[in-house]
Amino acid sequence: MSRRIVWIGIAAVGLCLLALAFFSNPDRSAGKIKGPARVESQFGVSQWASLQAAAALTPAGAASAKPILFGDLHVHSTFSIDAFAFSLPIFGGEGAHPPADACDFARYCSSVDFFSLNDHAEGLTPARWQQSIDSIRQCNALAGNPANPDLVAFMGWEWTQVGERPESHYGHRNVIFRDLSDSDLPARPVSALPDGITKRARGLWLVRAIERLGPLGLGEYADFLWLTRQIAETPDCPRGIDTLDLPADCRENAATPAELFAKLDRWGSDYLVIPHGLAWGIHAPPGARLENLLNDGNHDPARELLIETFSGHGNGEEYREAMPDAEAGDACPAPSADHLPCCWQAGEIMRARCGDLPAAVCEQRVEEAKRLALEAAETPHRIFPDTTPEDWLDCDQCRDCFKPAMNLRPRQTAQYSLAVSRFAEDDATNAAPERFRWGFIASTDNHTARPATGYKQYARREMTDARGMASPTLDQLTRPFITGRASDPQRAQPGRAERRSFQGLFDVERQASFMYPGGLVAVHAETRDRHSIWAALERREVYGTSGPRILLWFDLLNADGSPAPMGSEASLGEAPEFEVRAAGAFRQRPGCPDASSSALSPERLERLCRGECYHPGDERHPIAAIEVVRVRPQTRPGEPIESLIDDPWRRFDCPPDPAGCRVRFSDPDFVASGRSTVYYVRALQAATPAINAANLRSQFDAAGNAVSVDPCHGSYRSAFDDDCLAPAQERAWSSPIFVEPASAAGVAFRAQNAIASPESRTRAAASAARGSGR
């Protein structure tokens, strides 16, 4: 898997030798939290505002709403090795942002209610794991009354798996723990590294040699090499020993999600595993399909209750049949009005280079380029090392998606996951199909310890993960190392497989156009405390936003007893009836509120917040429309997915009322269809300027063909003050409501797919405590 994560350390040795600028602050500690807790008049504003908005949209006599709290469950510090690498001056980085920065940023820059720390397990040594825990504990200790804290900080890590082939690809997951005591947290994080992979770095004598030059001016480069050595010298944990009996100073690895679950269960803690970035094509190989996770215990609804559909690395919600996602061995598909395959563009690049070659030879090389591009998987542009991002136009990108993930993998999207089913191999058993039933959240995946950066669209290079070479000289010196050299400009060349594992992470120029400030997770929680937030996550009464604090309620009105909120499951013998209520986010005032300016020094406020904080005014952005998406999961093997996703199924335009929008609808087709049906909604704000909303800023001819692009670079190639703004309708995505037909089959299906309670999970973990987790 994440050979690419470890390869960063190996590759950075060469890059460090080329560095031209230095920092002096070492990143060998978790940093110091500077700001005190906020008072209730500061941190309670958003939750009371949500109740006020709910009251304005709620019919008289209806039950009162729960407060809505906002947070970020995907935050990296520079304890993640990729984050540390991109913090270096060679990439125009800011220097270290250790875990303590996340606490101060959450309190006084973004003013959120909760966050979690999720550094890559692959780079978390046992010492750094403990430093991270200590920092999160300190953050919570400053939060005041545990029953009404100003901020709740959760602890976790990211399990970062990448398969070379679709069948071995499981993707990235955040592991998050409810509690923070020694008995509730594992002794070490569990990575997805293959055993022995870090041994490749141990022979790099340059790591030690250059590291010792730190006092002579290498500064953070020496600290980065120190970290590389610490990771390389941490031994793999021995196999065949119970996870509870392993030595404290080893790296524990799990090759599959099923193995990860088994190890986590041994600790008996309350935890969640949240898949994320599944549709991001820089990691997922072409042809990757989510139904592979339904095999061999690699998806468990008792643990994977939620999926992160949107982050600072893009939107993985929307399925697109027009993006064929061809892989090695397939024929290269022809372009369409909606999609330009990179393999096809490889052929066009070759055609433009044919020069005076005979026509037959030229066509042969065009077909060869298409084949090599497919074989290059995630990095087709590597078959022409001397090309630029502009040469590839907008190939393999979704042209009509909202803030899409780069190189979107359609069969890894959230919509696809709701539609796909896995059927028993023996039809005689009449077993219910296995399906994904998860709630939707969003977060940032920020790599500079900045939770919830989406409150304003500014400072693109600091508030997103856009990175690039800091100068033309560095670019020229490093490009042959990163991309290789063209052996023959008039012929495509095979992409080097050994380079693919780390090339993608250093190939940041195209990626920068698909980096965003990121999203938020919103929870309908009874109170502000840790257990109430966690309970909302477990019952899936949650939703995601693209960054703004949009308020959203989505209820099934005719469920048994009382209305059922988003994330619920129900069985009905009549048409389901729904209600949606939404209110836009507050318009932002410039600068920072006095509470932030008085809590942090001017220097720390500028370094973390870059002059802008969450600073709401009194007026809300209007909601422009409510869209309803209906998905009817497969009922037979091979049933075409595109016929099962209605997006949008219904759309309701809203009057421009700052108080919000309220709509009701029903599904008259439900009873007659006799099918399981999934519904979720999107609340769309009126358009506002947003970073990278136009991505590659493609230009098209009259026939709809892309003819040029203007990428939003993370390097010197784009102006450093260019935030690449374009209009976008920021939005909120509800968690789905799952409705079954009221029949014996429906009852059996619900029993098969019921979400386990926390108590049953604990019992299951205890019963599995013997003989698992090895």
Side-chain angles (χ1 to χ4, degrees), residues 653-714:
D653 292 326
C654 298
D657 184 354
C661 184
R662 176 171 165 250
V663 301
R664 288 192 174 192
F665 65 93
S666 64
D667 184 358
D669 304 326
F670 173 76
V671 174
S673 75
R675 299 181 68 125
S676 304
T677 309
V678 184
Y679 307 85
Y680 72 92
V681 299
R682 292 188 291 252
L684 277 59
Q685 274 191 176
T688 51
I691 291 173
N692 274 333
N695 299 118
L696 293 164
R697 300 182 282 199
S698 305
Q699 298 294 314
F700 299 88
D701 64 19
N705 301 307
V707 294
S708 67
V709 294
D710 179 18
C712 187
H713 294 282

Side-chain angles (χ1 to χ4, degrees), residues 250-501:
C250 62
R251 176 184 298 100
E252 191 167 6
N253 303 319
T256 66
E259 187 178 350
L260 174 68
F261 299 149
K263 289 177 178 293
L264 291 170
D265 279 347
R266 291 292 290 120
W267 294 94
S269 307
D270 281 287
Y271 71 91
L272 292 173
V273 176
I274 305 176
H276 70 270
L278 298 181
W280 199 25
I282 187 176
H283 292 304
R289 308 170 72 99
L290 277 172
E291 55 261 48
N292 292 340
L293 294 176
L294 294 173
N295 297 320
D296 303 321
N298 287 311
H299 169 67
D300 190 331
R303 300 169 175 86
E304 292 183 318
L305 297 168
L306 308 169
I307 183 174
E308 182 186 295
T309 61
F310 179 84
S311 77
H313 297 169
N315 180 14
E317 173 208 7
E318 299 165 282
Y319 175 74
R320 289 292 183 270
E321 180 65 20
M323 300 180 65
D325 198 26
E327 56 184 306
D330 293 342
C332 179
S336 68
D338 302 310
H339 184 238
L340 172 63
C342 278
C343 57
W344 188 273
Q345 184 60 14
E348 295 305 297
I349 291 172
M350 182 61 247
R351 193 183 306 280
R353 296 180 176 209
C354 283
D356 57 0
L357 290 173
V361 174
C362 178
E363 287 304 314
Q364 184 181 42
R365 293 193 178 187
V366 165
E367 293 304 315
E368 178 186 54
K370 293 178 182 179
R371 176 181 59 79
L372 291 174
L374 287 171
E375 292 176 357
E378 304 98 311
T379 57
H381 46 295
R382 290 294 162 245
I383 69 170
F384 291 113
D386 57 342
T387 53
T388 68
E390 289 82 355
D391 293 325
W392 292 88
L393 300 175
D394 67 343
C395 72
D396 280 356
Q397 308 311 322
C398 183
R399 290 176 174 173
D400 65 344
C401 293
F402 169 79
K403 296 187 180 180
M406 181 180 169
N407 296 350
L408 184 79
R409 302 289 184 230
R411 292 188 288 267
Q412 293 280 111
T413 59
Q415 288 181 348
Y416 184 88
S417 77
L418 296 178
V420 74
S421 302
R422 179 177 182 270
F423 299 90
E425 295 182 5
D426 182 4
D427 292 339
T429 64
N430 200 29
E434 293 182 55
R435 293 170 179 156
F436 296 103
R437 291 197 163 196
W438 36 34
F440 289 176
I441 68 167
S443 286
T444 64
D445 199 356
N446 178 272
H447 279 59
T448 56
R450 289 183 167 113
T453 49
Y455 53 88
K456 291 178 181 175
Q457 300 288 310
Y458 77 109
R460 177 174 64 93
R461 283 182 171 81
E462 290 82 13
M463 297 299 155
T464 79
D465 282 346
R467 298 292 182 267
M469 289 297 166
S471 73
T473 301
L474 285 172
D475 190 18
Q476 184 177 5
L477 288 171
T478 58
R479 181 157 294 278
F481 172 76
I482 296 171
T483 66
R485 297 180 183 274
S487 56
D488 180 355
Q490 283 192 301
R491 190 165 196 166
Q493 61 190 51
R496 291 176 57 184
E498 69 273 19
R499 286 182 179 271
R500 270 184 25 214
S501 58

Side-chain angles (χ1 to χ4, degrees), residues 16-153:
C16 288
L17 291 172
L18 303 169
L20 301 179
F22 313 109
F23 281 74
S24 59
N25 294 327
D27 183 35
R28 301 192 183 188
S29 75
K32 294 182 179 180
I33 298 169
K34 304 291 186 180
R38 296 167 288 175
V39 299
E40 187 169 359
S41 61
Q42 298 164 356
F43 68 74
V45 170
S46 63
Q47 72 187 76
W48 302 127
S50 73
L51 292 175
Q52 189 177 37
L57 293 167
T58 302
S64 60
K66 304 179 185 75
I68 296 177
L69 305 178
F70 292 95
D72 186 349
L73 294 179
H74 192 173
V75 181
H76 294 268
S77 74
T78 45
F79 274 20
S80 287
I81 191 168
D82 56 341
F84 198 171
F86 290 133
S87 78
L88 296 172
I90 194 170
F91 290 112
E94 301 176 279
H97 279 290
D101 286 4
C103 186
D104 280 341
F105 189 95
R107 277 198 168 99
Y108 287 107
C109 300
S110 58
S111 298
V112 287
D113 302 302
F114 61 94
F115 77 94
S116 65
L117 187 65
N118 303 94
D119 282 313
H120 292 287
E122 290 70 26
L124 278 177
T125 63
R128 289 215 154 191
W129 171 241
Q130 188 58 52
Q131 287 177 325
S132 299
I133 292 171
D134 292 343
S135 183
I136 290 296
R137 285 173 175 167
Q138 182 189 3
C139 186
N140 284 288
L142 295 169
N145 181 1
N148 191 37
D150 82 312
L151 178 66
V152 174

